[in-house]
Amino acid sequence: MEIIVTEEAEKKIKAKIDGQNGYLKLKYDTEGCGCVVSGVSALWLVNELDDDDHKVHTNIGSIYIEKSKEVFFEETMTIAFSEKANCFQLKSPNQYLNPRMSLYDRTDS
């Protein structure tokens, strides 16, 4: 799996994380969605990794993805930031996986 983070997205991620320790995860979140195939992708900053988390090397460092949820992602993806929409975007060469993706700080949860 390959994830490329655009320069603008990298700046926004660094600004939001602001030097905090933790791991950046690309989470396929199904909470409140009713069904596992109705999940939505989001970026999470977490204190600890789960046993199922898989490291993906990117141009800005490692991002982790739950191995059991990799099926919901594409082999090549880009994380971008849209100034107009003021949100992150997850896209592949074929589609937008989430055109309005958020970054959540889950380090206190």
Side-chain angles (χ1 to χ4, degrees):
M1 180 174 287
E2 178 182 27
I3 300 174
I4 297 165
V5 181
T6 66
E7 190 174 320
E8 186 63 28
E10 178 183 8
K11 289 177 191 172
K12 293 295 182 178
I13 289 169
K14 285 182 178 178
K16 278 193 144 280
I17 291 173
D18 195 28
Q20 294 182 69
N21 291 324
Y23 302 94
L24 191 60
K25 287 180 70 168
L26 180 56
K27 176 79 173 164
Y28 186 77
D29 191 8
T30 58
E31 188 174 323
C33 294
C35 175
V36 73
V37 296
S38 298
V40 64
S41 54
L43 290 168
W44 285 16
L45 181 65
V46 298
N47 284 329
E48 297 178 3
L49 296 173
D50 297 318
D51 292 338
D52 191 30
D53 290 338
H54 170 87
K55 183 189 290 190
V56 177
H57 298 283
T58 75
N59 57 308
I60 67 164
S62 298
I63 293 179
Y64 295 83
I65 296 177
E66 293 166 293
K67 190 131 182 86
S68 60
K69 301 294 192 312
E70 283 183 353
V71 67
F72 299 108
F73 295 107
E74 304 247 352
E75 190 58 35
T76 302
M77 297 179 291
T78 300
I79 297 173
F81 189 84
S82 169
E83 287 290 341
K84 185 175 182 179
N86 194 32
C87 63
F88 293 95
Q89 297 179 326
L90 181 64
K91 50 190 170 181
S92 75
N94 301 318
Q95 65 181 325
Y96 277 94
L97 297 154
N98 188 349
R100 301 185 74 73
M101 188 169 68
S102 297
L103 189 156
Y104 298 101
D105 183 350
R106 300 287 179 153
T107 55
D108 294 330
S109 300

